[in-house]
Amino acid sequence: MKGRYEDLIAAAKAAMERAYAPYSGFKVGAALRTASGRIFTGCNVENASFGATICAERTAVVKAVSEGEKEFDAIAIVSSSGEVTPPCGICRQVLAEFTEDIPVIMAQENGDAKIYPLYTVFPQAKLPFEAEE
Ligand code: THU
């Protein structure tokens, strides 16, 4: 199962090295595969105003959407913690805006991974709706 995500995990690890995390020291990398096969990566980017911090997963989503890609197949997440890193609640909500029930691959730096469908880690999701004019 993990084998088919090895390239995605490797991309997330490379992105993790670019994390800007001087305050927490907790580096995170994410890699999002689009339906067209492209991979968009992201890292966490912290800020002196802590609430302005953006997570690795949302960095990847924002990069993809801003490049015209809104259909996603899978996301891999790696952190420097030595443990698997589940996405935070805000990132789960942001993923649910754009995806179906995609696999969320939570990998450790050594390659071990837990894989859960998005709706398993984020049940009863608030899904996108048609905004009124
Ligand atoms: N963080 C992520 O980038 N993704 C996660 O899934 C968990 C948390 C970041 C935010 C902050 O820079 C640091 O990790 C500590 O929470």
Side-chain angles (χ1 to χ4, degrees):
M1 178 76 162
K2 194 188 77 187
R4 60 186 292 213
Y5 299 120
E6 248 149 37
D7 57 340
L8 214 52
I9 293 170
K13 269 200 244 182
M16 183 187 79
E17 300 301 332
R18 298 189 285 273
Y20 176 73
Y23 305 109
S24 73
F26 189 77
K27 295 181 168 202
V28 187
L32 191 60
R33 194 193 325 272
T34 67
S36 64
R38 293 173 71 186
I39 292 177
F40 289 87
T41 61
C43 61
N44 52 332
V45 181
E46 298 187 344
N47 193 274
S49 174
F50 292 173
T53 292
I54 180 164
C55 295
E57 298 89 326
R58 274 178 289 144
T59 303
V61 170
V62 167
K63 282 171 67 179
V65 174
S66 63
E67 295 295 323
E69 299 270 3
K70 288 198 282 284
E71 285 179 43
F72 307 141
D73 273 359
I75 186 166
I77 304 154
V78 181
S79 82
S80 59
S81 69
E83 295 175 9
V84 297
T85 300
C88 81
I90 296 176
C91 290
R92 294 176 201 204
Q93 180 65 51
V94 169
L95 285 166
E97 181 75 16
F98 296 105
T99 68
E100 301 290 322
D101 200 11
I102 60 165
V104 178
I105 300 108
M106 304 167 210
Q108 292 176 230
E109 278 189 88
N110 69 8
D112 288 350
K114 281 187 181 168
I115 304 174
Y116 292 110
L118 177 63
Y119 294 164
T120 300
V121 295
F122 195 51
Q124 308 290 326
K126 173 70 174 164
L127 295 173
F129 54 90
E130 294 284 326
E132 286 178 27
E133 299 277 306

